[in-house]
Amino acid sequence: MKKRILIFFSILFLNLLDIFSLNDSIVLEKIQVHVKKKEFIEASKLAEKYIKLLPELDQSDKVIRYYFLLESNLDKLDQALDSIYKTNDKLNFRFHSLVFILIEKSLLQGDYQLGVKWGDIYKKEARSKKKKYYRGLYYFACHLYKMNDKHAALSVIETVLREKPKKNLKDKLTLLKILHYKNEYQFMLESKNFIKKNPDSNYVDLVFVNTIQNAKTNNKKERFIELKLDFSEDYKDSILYDQVTKM
């Protein structure tokens, strides 16, 4: 009899622990403590445990945002987003922020198919004039480019460029656009124009390297040697210097 009572109270205690753990403010505080200590794995596990106990995921739950920032498993994040997307008629900016995180992470991990899936939803649903929204579209365009859907990628690039984004993002979009040019003359012309108009850009050396690679790919030996020598003289401090010398 005493054993049964002990088992009953043990189960009750465990259930109470689960209910207690559903208190988002307490969980959030614990996660923040782990993050401050750079205990990211522990923080991620705590967030995941919390999420698994929820009957339904709330797009505005701050613990879920931490989970998206900390979790590296894209399949888990994909499932969580699917759950929110299918159970909410009205999506808010917090949901779009979660999608942004997944698009960025999937680009870093090379899961371009997943990036295209959520990038398409992001483009249609987020619809913002904010800097972050345009950056998300840039990531989406990168996914499309990697999936060889260049027509769709160019469409996204042109959409953002029409909104006149800030210089850093504009440069990135312009570079991505240049990479789409199949015509060698047009590629070289646009590359030279970029370097001429943006001599102080952080991406000038990258454009230069692309022109060198283009000359090599198209068997333009004289141009390749000339460009390579110019790069070696003008961009000795570039992180791409060793890459060019080994070409």
Side-chain angles (χ1 to χ4, degrees), residues 97-114:
S97 180
L98 298 179
V99 177
F100 177 92
I101 293 170
L102 184 53
I103 296 172
E104 185 178 27
K105 282 193 171 187
S106 57
L107 184 61
L108 291 171
Q109 293 189 34
D111 193 335
Y112 308 122
Q113 189 170 355
L114 185 62

Side-chain angles (χ1 to χ4, degrees), residues 26-50 63 66 70:
I26 294 174
V27 176
L28 184 62
E29 186 178 340
K30 289 181 178 180
I31 289 172
Q32 289 171 339
V33 170
H34 281 306
V35 170
K36 285 180 181 179
K37 293 180 179 180
K38 296 185 178 180
E39 299 170 347
F40 302 120
I41 295 176
E42 290 82 355
S44 180
K45 286 180 179 178
L46 184 58
E48 184 175 20
K49 182 180 178 182
Y50 165 84
V63 175
Y66 264 104
L70 295 164

